[in-house]
C-alpha cells in the first residue's frame, strides 16, 4: 500500500514538472503539436483542452496555457491520425506513390488559441529566421477542423487568403455555407438549417408548441437560435424563453447565467420541452443546478418540476461527460440529434494498439498528457497497469458520428491529393498548391468503405440525422440508442421498430407529455390571442351560431353556408337545414290524400252508375250529360288537391291552382245550368219563362263561364305566375308555393264565388219544387257550404304560415268537392239503390200531379180574392241541356182539363 502511495506521488510530481517544462517551452518556442512526416501534410485543429487560463491579464502578447484536458477532443485527434495511417495503406496513395503526414494542434476551445494554431500551420511553408537558427517545414495542403462553429468561422477567414481547403467534422453554423465569404470551407455534415428543421419536425410530431431554448453565445449558438425561431414560428411553435450562455465555460458570468436559466426552467412548469444548443460542460452544470434546486427545503413536487424533455443538438447529444452521477430520473427524457455514423471498428482496433505509448509519445505530446491525466505510469518505468483503464476511458468518449465525419474528411483529402499526384510529382516541394487540392475536392466524388460521397454547392455533405434517445438500465445511462432517422430530402422522420422494451416504453411516455402554453382548443372552438401575447397562449372561445371549427387549435371559425346550413353555438360542423314542406309522410297529408283518393273513386263509381242508369228518370232529373261533366270536374279538382302535397316545384305550383280554378269553374257552371234548367221547367209565369227560355243556352253558358276563368288563369300564368319559393329560417328551409300575383289568385277564387252565389240565389228560389225534382235544396246547401268554407279560408290563409299552409286550401277544396258530391249525387244514388219504386215514370207523374194540384189550389184561392190567375201548367219534366224543358203529351190534357174545370167553377 505504501508502494502505491509512493508511485502516485512520483506521478503527480512528474506531471507538474513536465507541465511546467511544457509551458516554458510553449512560451518560448511554438505550440505543441502531434506530427508525422509525409509527402503531403494535412493540418488538424481539435479542442483537446476545454479552455485557457484567463486569470493572467497582460497587454503583452502571450500564449495562454490550456486547462482541463478534454478526452472527447483528444479522441477526434486520434481518429484523424488513424484515418491518415489507414489512407497511407490504401490503393489511391499507393498508386500515386505518396504518403500523407499530419500536424495536429490544440485549439483549447478558444478562438484566439485556434487563430495562433492556424497561423502556425500557415507558416509551415515559409522559411523563418530567428537569431542564428533557421527552420523550414512542408506547407499544409488542407486542414481538418475545427470543432465549434465560432472557431471554424475565425479559422476559415484566415485560410481563405491562401485558399487552403478546410474540412470541418462538426461545425454546423449556417453562415459557413456562404461560399462568397468562405470559399475554402467545407464540411462532412449538414448545416444547422437542417438540424433545426429536423427539430421542428420532431416537435410537430409530438404536438409540442411551447418550448424553451438554451444556446451558447457566438456564431454557432446565435445562428442556430435564429434558424430555430424563424422556422418554429412558421409551424406555430412558440418559444417561451431563450437563455444564452456565455461561450467561455470558466467565466464567472457562466455560473450566474446557468443559475438564472435553472430558475427560468423552474418557474415555467408548462414548458416541458427544452431545445439545447449549449456545450456539454454547460449542460452538465445546468443539470446539477436543477437537481440542487429540487433538494432545497420546503420544495414540493420537485421531481415534476425538474424533469423535462431535452432535445439535444449534435454538440452534446451523445456526451457521457454530461450526466456524471445523475440518472434519467433526475434529468427526464433526452432526444438528441447526431450526424450519420459509420463503421468505427478500425478506430477501435487503433485504440487497442495504443497500449505501448513510447514511440507514439514522440510524435504526439498530447498522448503523454492524457496518460498523466489518467494517473498512468510514466513511460519507461515498467508500470503500465493503468493503460487498459485509460483506453476504456477513451472509448467512453468516442462519438461514432464525429469519428465517421473525421474519416470522411481525411478520405476526401486523400483522394483529391491522389488525383493530383497521378499527374504531378508531389514529392517535389512546391509542386502542389493548396488551391489545387481545393479544386479537386469540389469537382470529384470520393469513396469511403465502398460508398460514394460528394460535396454539394454549399460545400456540405448532407446525409441527414440520426435521433438518439438516452435510456437507462439499472441506473446506467446509454446515450447511443438510435430510435429514428431524419431525411432532409423529404423533411420527415422515420421511427425505427423498437425491440427494446425500455426504449419503446420511453417513446410511448413521450406521447403523454404535454408542452403547451394553453390546452388545445377542441373542434367547435377557436383560439383568441390577447394583444402582445404569444400566439401559443390563448383562450378557447366557442364558435357562434352558424360558425364552426372542425379541427383542433383553429385560429378562427369557418362560416356555414347560410342558404343551406346552420350550426348551434360551439359546433364542430355545419348541419344541413331541414327542408320543410307539406310532406307525403305527414300524417295529416296522408289523411287528406286518402280523402282525395276516396273522392276520385266515388266520382268514378257514380259516373259509371249514372251511365248505366242513364235512361232512368232519376238520372235524367239529375241533369243527364251534365252530371258526367260535373263528376269529371270533381275528379280533376280532387287531383289538383293532391298537388298541394309534396316538395313544391314551379310546375306543380302553377298546375294545382290552374287545375282547381278551371275544373271547379266547370263544375259550378254545370250546376248553374242545372239551376236555370229547373227554374225554367217549373216556372209558371209565362213572361219569366219566355225570358229564361231565351237565355237558356247550356253549352254557351258553360263555355263562356269556363272561358272567362281560363282567360284569367292564362293572364295569371303569363304576367306573374305561381312559383316555388324558399323561406330561409335559422335552422330550416320552408318550401312553399308563392302565388305570384295574389290579385290574380283572388280574382280566380272570386269569380268562382260569384258563380256559386248566382247558383245559390237561383236554387234558393226553386227550393219548394217536387221532391223528385228538388235538387234546388241540395244545390242551395252545397253552394252555401262552398261559400262559407271559402269565406273562412281567406282569413285563415292570410294569417297562417308554415308547413301546413297548403293544407288549409286543400281542406277547403275537399270540403267543396264533397259538398257537391254529397248533395248532388248521393241522394240520387240512394234512390237508385234503395228507392227503386220512386225511379219510375209513374212515380214521377204522380209526384208531379200532386205538386200541380197543390199549386193550382194555391193559385185558385188567390184568384177568388180578385188576384190575377194563370192557368199555365208545369210540364212533365223531361229535362235536356240542349232543348230545355219539354211537356209530355200524355200528361198535358188532363192537367189542362183540370184547370178548365176549376176555372168554370170559379
Amino acid at each position: 500500500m505504501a508502494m502505491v502511495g509512493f508511485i502516485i506521488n512520483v506521478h503527480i510530481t512528474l506531471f507538474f514538472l513536465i507541465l511546467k517544462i511544457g509551458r516554458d517551452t510553449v512560451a518560448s518556442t511554438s505550440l505543441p503539436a502531434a506530427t508525422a512526416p509525409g509527402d503531403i501534410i494535412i493540418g488538424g485543429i481539435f479542442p483537446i483542452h476545454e479552455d485557457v487560463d484567463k486569470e493572467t491579464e497582460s497587454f503583452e502578447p502571450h500564449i495562454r496555457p490550456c486547462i482541463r484536458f478534454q478526452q472527447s477532443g483528444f479522441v477526434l485527434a486520434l481518429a484523424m491520425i488513424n484515418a491518415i495511417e489507414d489512407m497511407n495503406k490504401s490503393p489511391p496513395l499507393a498508386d500515386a506513390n505518396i504518403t500523407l503526414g499530419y500536424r495536429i494542434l490544440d485549439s483549447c476551445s478558444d478562438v484566439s488559441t485556434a487563430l495562433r494554431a492556424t497561423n502556425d500551420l500557415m507558416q509551415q511553408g515559409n522559411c523563418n529566421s530567428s537569431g542564428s537558427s533557421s527552420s523550414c517545414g512542408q506547407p499544409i495542403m488542407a486542414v481538418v477542423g475545427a470543432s465549434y462553429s465560432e472557431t471554424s468561422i475565425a479559422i476559415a477567414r484566415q485560410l481563405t487568403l491562401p485558399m487552403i481547403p478546410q474540412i470541418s467534422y462538426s461545425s454546423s453554423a449556417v453562415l459557413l455555407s456562404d461560399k462568397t465569404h468562405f470559399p475554402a470551407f467545407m464540411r462532412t455534415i449538414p448545416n444547422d438549417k437542417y438540424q433545426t428543421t429536423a427539430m421542428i419536425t420532431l416537435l410537430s410530431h409530438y404536438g409540442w408548441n411551447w418550448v424553451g431554448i438554451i444556446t451558447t453565445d457566438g456564431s454557432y449558438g446565435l445562428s442556430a437560435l435564429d434558424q430555430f425561431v424563424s422556422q418554429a414560428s412558421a409551424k406555430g411553435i412558440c418559444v417561451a424563453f431563450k437563455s444564452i450562455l456565455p461561450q467561455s465555460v470558466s467565466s464567472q458570468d457562466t455560473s450566474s447565467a446557468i443559475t438564472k436559466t435553472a430558475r427560468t426552467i423552474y418557474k415555467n412548469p408548462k414548458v416541458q420541452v427544452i431545445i439545447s444548443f449549449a456545450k456539454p460542460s454547460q449542460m452538465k452544470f445546468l443539470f446539477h443546478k436543477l437537481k440542487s434546486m429540487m433538494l432545497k427545503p420546503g420544495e414540493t413536487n420537485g421531481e415534476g418540476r425538474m424533469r423535462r424533455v431535452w432535445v439535444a443538438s449534435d454538440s452534446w447529444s451523445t456526451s457521457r461527460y454530461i450526466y456524471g452521477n445523475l440518472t434519467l430520473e433526475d434529468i427526464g427524457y433526452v432526444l438528441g440529434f447526431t450526424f450519420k455514423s459509420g463503421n468505427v471498428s478500425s478506430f477501435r482496433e487503433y485504440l487497442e494498439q495504443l497500449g505501448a505509448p513510447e514511440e507514439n509519445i514522440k510524435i504526439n505530446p498530447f498522448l503523454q498528457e492524457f496518460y498523466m491525466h489518467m494517473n498512468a505510469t510514466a513511460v519507461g518505468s515498467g508500470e503500465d497497469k493503468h493503460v487498459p483503464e485509460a483506453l476504456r476511458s477513451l472509448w467512453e468518449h468516442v462519438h461514432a458520428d464525429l469519428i465517421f465525419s473525421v474519416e470522411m474528411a481525411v478520405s476526401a483529402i486523400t483522394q483529391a491529393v491522389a488525383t493530383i499526384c497521378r499527374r504531378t510529382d508531389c514529392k517535389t516541394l512546391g509542386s502542389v498548391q493548396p488551391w489545387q487540392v481545393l479544386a479537386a475536392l469540389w469537382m470529384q466524388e470520393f469513396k469511403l468503405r465502398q460508398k460514394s460521397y460528394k460535396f454539394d454547392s454549399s460545400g456540405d455533405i448532407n446525409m441527414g440525422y440520426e435521433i438518439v434517445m438516452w435510456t437507462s438500465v439499472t441506473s446506467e445511462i446509454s446515450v447511443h440508442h438510435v430510435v429514428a432517422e431524419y431525411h432532409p430530402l423529404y423533411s420527415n422522420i422515420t421511427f425505427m421498430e423498437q425491440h427494446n422494451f425500455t426504449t419503446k416504453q420511453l417513446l410511448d411516455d413521450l406521447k403523454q407529455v404535454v408542452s403547451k402554453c394553453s390546452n388545445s382548443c377542441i373542434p367547435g372552438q377557436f383560439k383568441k390571442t390577447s394583444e402582445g401575447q404569444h400566439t401559443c397562449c390563448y383562450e378557447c372561445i366557442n364558435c357562434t351560431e352558424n360558425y364552426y371549427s372542425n379541427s383542433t387549435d383553429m385560429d378562427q371559425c369557418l362560416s356555414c353556408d347560410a342558404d343551406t346550413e346552420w350550426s348551434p353555438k360551439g359546433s364542430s360542423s355545419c348541419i344541413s337545414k331541414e327542408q320543410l314542406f307539406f310532406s307525403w309522410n305527414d300524417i295529416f297529408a296522408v289523411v287528406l290524400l286518402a280523402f282525395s283518393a276516396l273522392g276520385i273513386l266515388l266520382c268514378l263509381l257514380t259516373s259509371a252508375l249514372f251511365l248505366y242508369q242513364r235512361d232512368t228518370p232519376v238520372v235524367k232529373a239529375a241533369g243527364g250529360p251534365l252530371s258526367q261533366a260535373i263528376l269529371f270536374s270533381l275528379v280533376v279538382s280532387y287531383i289538383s288537391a293532391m298537388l298541394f302535397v309534396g316538395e313544391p316545384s314551379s310546375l306543380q305550383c302553377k298546375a294545382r291552382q290552374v287545375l282547381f280554378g278551371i275544373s271547379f269553374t266547370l263544375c259550378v257552371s254545370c250546376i248553374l245550368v242545372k239551376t236555370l234548367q229547373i227554374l225554367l221547367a217549373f216556372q209558371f209565369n209565362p213572361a219569366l219563362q219566355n225570358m229564361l227560355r231565351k237565355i237558356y243556352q247550356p253549352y254557351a253558358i258553360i263555355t263562356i263561364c269556363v272561358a272567362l276563368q281560363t282567360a284569367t288563369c292564362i293572364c295569371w300564368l303569363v304576367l306573374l305566375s305561381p312559383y316555388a319559393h324558399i323561406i330561409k329560417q335559422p335552422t330550416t328551409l320552408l318550401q312553399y308555393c308563392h302565388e305570384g300575383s295574389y290579385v290574380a289568385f283572388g280574382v280566380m277564387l272570386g269569380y268562382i264565388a260569384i258563380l256559386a252565389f248566382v247558383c245559390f240565389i237561383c236554387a234558393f228560389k226553386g227550393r219548394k219544387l217536387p221532391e223528385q225534382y228538388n235538387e234546388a235544396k241540395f244545390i242551395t246547401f252545397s253552394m252555401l257550404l262552398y261559400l262559407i268554407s271559402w269565406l273562412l279560408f281567406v282569413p285563415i290563409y292570410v294569417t297562417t304560415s308554415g308547413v301546413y299552409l297548403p293544407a288549409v286550401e286543400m281542406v277547403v277544396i275537399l270540403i267543396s268537392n264533397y259538398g257537391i258530391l254529397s248533395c248532388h249525387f248521393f241522394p240520387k244514388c240512394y234512390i237508385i239503390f234503395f228507392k227503386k219504386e220512386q225511379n219510375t215514370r209513374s212515380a214521377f207523374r204522380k209526384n208531379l200531379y200532386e205538386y200541380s194540384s197543390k199549386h193550382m189550389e194555391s193559385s185558385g184561392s188567390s184568384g177568388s180574392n180578385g188576384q190575377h190567375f194563370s192557368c199555365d201548367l208545369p210540364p212533365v219534366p223531361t229535362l235536356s241541356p240542349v232543348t230545355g224543358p219539354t211537356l209530355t203529351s200524355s200528361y198535358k190534357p188532363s192537367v189542362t182539363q183540370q184547370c178548365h174545370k176549376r176555372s168554370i167553377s170559379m
Side-chain angles (χ1 to χ4, degrees), residues 27 63 88 105 116 266 339 346 376 401 676 749 829 866 874:
I63 299 176
N88 283 331
L105 301 176
R116 291 181 186 275
Y266 183 83
F339 307 118
S346 172
D401 56 332
L676 294 175
L749 295 179
C829 293

Side-chain angles (χ1 to χ4, degrees), residues 177-316:
S177 293
D178 184 358
K179 296 300 107 178
T180 59
H181 294 89
F182 306 99
F185 178 83
M186 310 172 88
R187 52 187 163 195
T188 53
I189 59 170
N191 67 49
D192 274 333
K193 178 178 70 175
Y194 298 100
Q195 182 171 210
T196 53
T197 302
M199 289 179 173
I200 297 298
T201 305
L202 179 67
L203 296 177
S204 299
H205 173 78
Y206 285 105
W208 299 325
N209 66 358
W210 188 237
V211 300
I213 297 182
I214 301 173
T215 188
T216 304
D217 194 8
S219 299
Y220 166 74
L222 297 180
S223 174
L225 177 63
D226 290 342
Q227 288 291 326
F228 182 88
V229 171
S230 62
Q231 295 181 32
S233 60
K235 293 292 185 178
I237 298 173
C238 302
V239 178
F241 61 83
K242 307 171 190 174
S243 181
I244 301 176
L245 305 178
Q247 193 170 15
S248 175
V249 180
S250 59
S251 172
Q252 291 293 332
D253 296 335
T254 300
S255 177
S256 60
I258 289 176
T259 301
K260 182 179 178 181
T261 301
R263 288 175 180 169
T264 302
I265 295 172
Y266 183 83
K267 293 177 180 179
N268 287 273
K270 287 187 176 181
V271 181
Q272 289 293 309
V273 178
I274 300 175
I275 315 298
S276 175
F277 297 95
K279 291 182 178 180
S281 56
Q282 293 171 332
M283 291 306 301
K284 179 178 181 179
F285 297 152
L286 178 61
F287 286 148
H288 282 84
K289 186 65 179 178
L290 284 170
K291 183 177 181 180
S292 66
M293 291 177 64
M294 299 308 108
L295 298 178
K296 290 181 179 180
E299 293 291 352
T300 58
N301 197 23
E303 184 180 353
R305 289 177 177 266
M306 164 63 184
R307 289 168 57 81
R308 296 290 188 272
V309 176
W310 301 89
V311 180
S313 69
D314 59 88
S315 62
W316 66 276

Side-chain angles (χ1 to χ4, degrees), residues 684 856 869-874 895-896 898-900 903:
F684 299 142
M856 294 306 296
F869 171 75
S870 173
C871 198
D872 291 336
L873 298 176
V895 174
T896 306
Q898 181 182 3
C899 182
H900 179 66
S903 62

Side-chain angles (χ1 to χ4, degrees), residues 469-523:
M469 187 170 192
W470 289 17
T471 58
S472 177
V473 180
T474 63
S475 299
E476 183 177 349
I477 297 178
S478 172
V479 299
H480 291 291
H481 195 85
V482 178
V483 296
E485 291 183 346
Y486 174 75
H487 309 283
L489 183 62
Y490 305 104
S491 297
N492 68 346
I493 292 176
T494 302
F495 283 86
M496 300 177 180
E497 188 67 28
Q498 299 300 323
H499 301 290
N500 186 311
F501 175 78
T502 302
T503 306
K504 187 176 185 302
Q505 184 63 43
L506 289 173
L507 289 174
D508 290 340
D509 291 344
L510 285 178
K511 297 178 182 177
Q512 308 304 320
V513 175
V514 177
S515 186
K516 294 184 175 182
C517 179
S518 302
N519 293 329
S520 294
C521 293
I522 61 175

Side-chain angles (χ1 to χ4, degrees), residues 48-50 67-71 74 366 369-370 373:
I48 300 175
H49 287 82
E50 193 175 358
I67 57 176
R68 293 196 296 276
F69 190 83
Q70 189 170 248
Q71 294 186 45
F74 178 59
F366 305 118
E369 186 177 354
F370 165 68
H373 177 72

Side-chain angles (χ1 to χ4, degrees), residues 759-821:
C759 290
F760 171 75
I761 297 300
C762 295
F764 184 77
K765 287 183 175 292
R767 65 186 182 283
K768 296 181 180 181
L769 295 178
E771 186 175 347
Q772 276 78 359
Y773 291 90
N774 198 6
E775 286 193 85
K777 290 191 296 184
F778 297 113
I779 293 174
T780 302
F781 181 77
S782 64
M783 292 298 102
L784 182 63
L785 182 63
Y786 170 82
L787 291 172
I788 292 174
S789 62
W790 283 96
L791 284 174
L792 293 175
F793 162 76
V794 174
I796 295 175
Y797 185 84
V798 171
T799 57
T800 303
S801 62
V803 174
Y804 293 104
L805 181 62
V808 175
E809 188 171 355
M810 188 177 180
V811 168
V812 176
I813 292 174
L814 291 177
I815 292 173
S816 303
N817 290 351
Y818 273 102
I820 293 173
L821 186 62

